[in-house]
Amino acid sequence: MQGIKHIIFDLGGVILNLDYQRTFTAFEALGVKDFTSLYNQFKGSRLFDELETGHVSENVFLQEMQKYVTPGVTDQQIIDAWNAMLLDFPLQRLQLLQQLQLHYNTYLLSNTNAIHLERFNQILQESRGIPSLAAFFNKAYYSHLIGYRKPDKEAYQVIIDEHQLNPAETLFIDDLLQNIEGARAVGLQTIHLQAPKTIADIFKPAASL
């Protein structure tokens, strides 16, 4: 961490626990055949990419997904299946983020969408009494609101430019190698977080900062 003044965090798999299989199973139960051909952790179809960059609305997404599910499936059932991957925010990670705020400028950069944003903030409210992840960062950036997804260089550049960050003094943490490679391409320092390691393992000395 020597020389680091700013930290950019990924969300899913870094702060929020995910289980993609739960969404795959949920959609298969709704009649979607081979959902992984439409979406997986590493790549989505054009529909999912456009949802995550804000180029299609929630309503358009639901209309398109109705083409794949069994007749009679409701929009709410599709939303619930899509949200099934979102699990929990471990308390230790949230406490760590609060500690790090005292010593670094911290930011969130997440490939996400309006449906997931509403749900994971709801999970945070219900489990921790905190209405928004914004409380843990100088600013949170979501792909569907900025119009770019990782690993596109523009996604990282939005944060760098807006806050005039020196990439050499900025650490980016993500669990996907492709996103790490995208960050390196714009000069950011990086940590590829691989399970079973968590951010608590990276910042073990944080309690004594």
Side-chain angles (χ1 to χ4, degrees):
M1 295 300 294
Q2 187 172 0
I4 296 297
K5 298 180 180 179
H6 324 284
I7 308 173
I8 304 172
F9 290 90
D10 174 39
L11 177 59
V14 174
I15 298 167
L16 172 66
N17 282 331
L18 299 177
D19 184 349
Y20 290 94
Q21 187 58 49
R22 288 180 51 157
T23 282
F24 301 157
T25 301
F27 272 115
E28 287 168 3
L30 298 181
V32 181
K33 294 180 173 60
D34 192 20
F35 179 74
T36 54
S37 67
L38 293 175
Y39 179 86
N40 61 56
Q41 181 181 7
F42 305 102
K43 180 64 180 173
S45 68
R46 182 175 178 181
L47 174 63
F48 287 89
D49 285 349
E50 291 186 344
L51 182 69
E52 287 195 340
T53 52
H55 292 124
V56 301
S57 67
E58 176 180 334
N59 286 339
V60 170
F61 170 74
L62 293 171
Q63 289 171 10
E64 289 299 310
M65 287 306 298
Q66 282 287 354
K67 299 175 182 178
Y68 297 95
V69 299
T70 302
V73 168
T74 66
D75 285 350
Q76 188 59 53
Q77 285 177 295
I78 294 173
I79 290 171
D80 291 345
W82 181 224
N83 285 337
M85 69 176 76
L86 308 177
L87 301 184
D88 65 304
F89 292 96
L91 181 59
Q92 183 185 33
R93 296 179 197 172
L94 298 180
Q95 291 173 330
L96 177 59
L97 291 174
Q98 289 176 321
Q99 289 179 310
L100 292 172
Q101 279 183 300
L102 301 175
H103 306 279
Y104 303 94
N105 296 312
T106 59
Y107 306 94
L108 182 71
L109 178 58
S110 175
N111 286 352
T112 193
N113 56 88
I115 298 171
H116 280 176
L117 175 60
E118 179 179 359
R119 178 55 186 153
F120 60 66
N121 277 328
Q122 182 182 33
I123 291 170
L124 187 65
Q125 174 67 52
E126 292 172 351
S127 62
R128 307 298 178 196
I130 300 169
S132 170
L133 274 173
F136 295 95
F137 303 96
N138 289 55
K139 189 168 180 179
Y141 292 84
Y142 301 109
S143 60
H144 70 291
L145 297 179
I146 64 174
Y148 302 108
R149 314 170 65 250
K150 300 171 291 183
D152 296 339
K153 65 180 182 180
E154 291 87 354
Y156 312 92
Q157 205 66 47
V158 166
I159 303 177
I160 293 170
D161 292 347
E162 184 169 325
H163 301 280
Q164 298 183 323
L165 305 182
N166 180 348
E169 299 174 341
T170 307
L171 176 66
F172 174 74
I173 303 171
D174 201 294
D175 63 329
L176 293 184
L177 181 57
Q178 64 191 34
N179 294 341
I180 291 294
E181 291 172 344
R184 289 174 180 164
V186 297
L188 294 171
Q189 307 303 302
T190 62
I191 292 178
H192 181 202
L193 187 66
Q194 296 176 280
K197 285 191 175 182
T198 70
I199 54 172
D201 296 308
I202 297 172
F203 298 106
K204 281 182 178 177
S208 60
L209 285 174

